[in-house]
Each structure stands twice: as C-alpha cells, then as structure tokens.
Amino acid sequence: MAGADSPSAALRRRDLCARGIRLAGKMRSDVVDLLDAYVERQGLDASASVAAVEGVPPAAVEHWDEQTGTQRLLENLAAYRAFRALLAQMLEEQREQLGEADAALGRALAAVLLQVSAFAYHLEELLRLESRGPPSEEEDGPPPQPRGLFEQKLRGLGVLRELAQWAVRSARDLRQLAKPGPGAGSAPSPAESP
Amino acid sequence: DGNTQFERVGADVTMKCGSMDWDATVTWTANGTDIDESHLNGSYLILKNVDLAQSGQYSCYEGSSWHLKYQTSLKVGTPPREPVLMCRSNNYPKGFYCSWHLPTPTHIPNTFNISVIHGTKEMVCEKDAVPKNRCHIRYLQLFSTVKYKVTLTVTNALGKNFTTLTFDEFAIVKPDPPESVVAKPVPNNPRRLEVSWQNPSSWPDPESFPLKFFLRYRPLILDQWQHVELSDGTSHTITDAYAGKEYIIQVAAKDNDIGTWSDWSVAVHATPWTEEPKHLTTEAQITETTSASTSSFMAPPTTKICDKGAVVGSGAVAVCWTAGLVVAAYSVLFI
C-alpha cells in the first residue's frame, strides 16, 4: 500500500475527496426532498423542534476549524454508520406501518440509505489512505427502538434533519481534507481548487 | 433644579413651580421667552396636547424677585414601536451580526438590549462601535440544527417594545456582493465580453466554503436580462452580446450549499470589440460604416460618390442609385 504522503496517495485522496464532495451534495439534496415528503406523509409540523434523539449523531461541532483530517474522517464515519442503521430501521418501520401504500417514500428512504452506505465506504477508503484504516464496526446491536408510532415519526424527523446537516458538514470536511497542509495529512502536491 | 421631563405627544402636562404655592405670582418661560398667562392655572403651567415643537427648557421665576424657582427640560416624544431586526452571516463560518432600527423615531433617547439564545445557551452579542445599532456574535458551534432566538428590546422613558427573530444557522448566510467586477471586450470578437470578479473580502475562507455566482447582463437599450449561473471560477465570457451595443453587467454570490444570494454587485459597463473603420484612399466623401453592423455594405473604393439628390429611400437603408448599380453588378459576379 502506498505511504500516506506518496504522490499517488495524494492524488487518490484528492480524487476521493472530490467524488465524496459531489456525493455529499447529491445526498443532501435528496435528504432535503425526502424530509419534505416525510413531514407531509407522516402528518408532522415541519417547524417542530425535535430534541436531541438518542442514537442520532448530532452534526453540531465546536472548534470545527481546529480538527485534524483524521478526526474529521473518524467522526464522519461513526455518524454515517449510525445513520445506516437508523435508516434501515426507519425503512423497516415504514414498511410495517404503511405497507405498500407509500411505496414512493420507501423508495426514497432506500435510495438515501444506499447513498449513506456509499459515503461510509468512501470514508473508509480515505481512512485506509491515512495508513490508519477504518475502525471496526462496533457490535452494539441495532439502535434503540422508539416505543410508540408518534415517537417513531419524531425520531424519523430528527434522523433526516441531522443527516441533512451532516451532508453539508461532510462536504466542508472533505474540502478541508483536500487542502494541502498538516491538518489534511496530505502529500506536498500543490493545491488546486476542486 | 435641572431635571428632565419626558412626555408623550398629545399628553396634557402640568408643571409646578417647585415648592411655590398654587396662588404664588410666578412667570414661566420657555427657552427664555415668557409664556402667556393664559397657560397658567395659578402658579402651575398647563400645556395641553403637547407636540414635538414644545420640547425645550422651561423655567419658573418668582414674581417680584425674579428668582429662579424651578427649571426642567421638557422632551416630548413617543414610546417605541416594534423595532425592525435583521440578522445575517456574511462571514460564514466565523459568525453573524444583527442590526436594528426603529420604524419611526421616538424623538427621545432609546436604549437597546439584545439577547441571543442558542438552545439553552445565552450568547454574548458584542456591540459594534460603528454603527451603533449593530452587534456581532462568533459561532461556538457549526452545523447545529438547534435554532437561534434573538430578542431585541428597546426602552425609553415612555415605554418599551421588543421583537424576536428565530432562525437556523444556514438560513441567514448571505455573502456580500462580489468585488472588483471588470468587463472587457475581447479583441477581434464582436460578440464577446470577458467578465471577471473577486470573492467578497468579508468571506473568510472561499477554499473550504466556496461561493457560486450568478451573472446578469443586458444591453442598455433593452430591459430584459440574460442570466448565467456559475458553480465555480471567478470569470466568464459572454458570447452572445449584440455587436456594438453597450452592456450593463452585474454579479451576485451565494455559498455553494447554504443560505441566500447576495445583493447584486456594482454594475459595470462594457461594449464588445468593433473593427476600426478602414482608411479610404479616394477623395470621395463616403459615409463610413463599421464592420460590426452586418447589414451595412462598404462600397468599394472606386465607387463614385452619390449626390444627395441621387439617394433613394431613407434612414438606415438609404442607397445611392449609382452605388446600387455597382452593388447589383458585384452581386451578379458572386452568385
């Protein structure tokens, strides 16, 4: 495997970052559309404040600009692995609740789940380039199940909102990573704007 | 005694002459001018339905000795109406600012108090020295879904009012307009204009938080704008300009992912390149036309001039009939 600072690793990192940024942009756009559809079909109030939901990784971060490249990747990866499990659970709940009556919502959820999985894979590849490798997935079991139908809906709202924020944050994180410098851990190739 | 008295417009005001009895003989003045006795009730000064013009220094003098017994500065004004508050981040992700004003003046001093709450946390909005009605906040967190709640309270001696704004981090992001917009003609290209600009200097990190741009342009003689959205780069070549026409061009900016478009930049004007008219060697007074006008025709140098009387038609299509014969001859040659 090429060293983290080799020119080929730097090129691969830049390529992965550029593709990741595009994927994050598409993911955000799809999540925002899904959020609108979800709110409407679940009969929720779009402006409702949802308190931090257990198991949903918050995108909010302090001292974001001081994070190292590896920190960014690890936090992103942990988040998207969590979203993968949460979305899978939501998909299951949605099928049980509405069955075939709302196939469009189910398809949209499945499409976002696919993108989240793809993005998680992207992050794992980037971590491999850091000569660190991705951490193994924790065997904690599935995320906690909301008790009632209304709780399920509120959690779904919380999941999608945080995911939309994460998609924006991830694009910013990858742009930081793509910059040359100690924080990004990149090779000494000159920076180019993506 | 020097003191200040605030009263609402339209109020009835009664001023006592200090500790003087009601039936004492006194003289009241307003800004040094004696006030007519008709405004007095004993030694009390009665001002009915006060208006702004009645603000001033009121003094009361004992009748015979002219000792000053009481003095007050009357300020007529109104309680504050609901203030207008605006918050915006033009330097994302560093922070945001809020600015405010009153929809109508109160004519008396006001104090403003602003509170910013993010979730359960109270944040400090540091007031700017200039302008005074503005304060700024540094973001402690980024990418939060928790909304910000900003409450502005305005208080004066006659009352108070307040307004509240609630928003999320992304919604208020609005960059300043692009700077240093330059538009230039492109040599030997009569339909092109090259436009370039710079990121607003207030945007702190365009590399990590890139901006996208919206360009609009139109010839001065038309009202309809053409629009182009550009996802990267700070330059663009317009390729469909009308030859020879002066254009007006503006650019706006927006964060690539969040927020709203900036205001339009300062407008720049430019005219596409046009060919210099060729120097003619004959002594004839031939009307010169530019080669940018595709409908014009340059008579070959050997063509005879037209006498004014030989002109047929009018306006842009006036053709000298002798030149017309030459044109016809040339056309036949080229068919």
Side-chain angles (χ1 to χ4, degrees), chain B residues 6-76:
Chain B
F6 293 97
E7 300 289 345
R8 284 185 191 222
V9 169
D12 294 337
V13 179
T14 300
M15 287 187 199
K16 291 185 184 175
C17 188
S19 55
M20 298 291 282
D21 293 333
W22 176 82
D23 57 358
T25 305
V26 299
T27 303
W28 282 91
T29 65
N31 296 326
T33 306
D34 286 8
I35 296 175
D36 188 76
E37 281 182 7
S38 60
H39 293 285
L40 268 53
N41 175 0
S43 64
Y44 297 174
L45 174 63
I46 312 291
L47 300 172
K48 286 198 174 295
N49 190 24
V50 290
D51 62 31
L52 295 172
Q54 287 173 289
S55 296
Q57 185 88 324
Y58 288 80
S59 308
C60 177
Y61 300 91
E62 190 180 11
S64 51
S65 66
W66 278 91
H67 283 150
L68 178 66
K69 288 298 183 182
Y70 178 74
Q71 200 168 57
T72 188
S73 175
L74 176 66
K75 294 192 193 293
V76 180

Side-chain angles (χ1 to χ4, degrees), chain A residues 25 28 47 59-64 161-162 164-165 168-169 171-172 175-176 179-180 191 194, chain B residues 92-93 121 140-147 169-170 205 207-210 232 255-258:
Chain A
R28 190 208 175 196
S47 62
V61 59
E62 294 187 9
H63 311 294
W64 173 85
R161 274 188 184 159
E162 283 303 331
Q165 300 292 102
V168 175
R169 176 177 164 182
R172 314 290 195 191
R175 285 194 192 104
Q176 287 288 96
K179 278 182 183 174
Chain B
Y92 190 79
K121 220 176 196 174
L140 298 177
Q141 270 189 347
L142 289 181
F143 314 111
S144 173
T145 48
V146 175
K147 289 186 192 282
E169 179 187 318
F170 291 172
D205 188 3
E207 218 180 314
S208 304
F209 296 83
D232 56 17
D255 177 270
N256 216 47
D257 302 314
I258 63 176

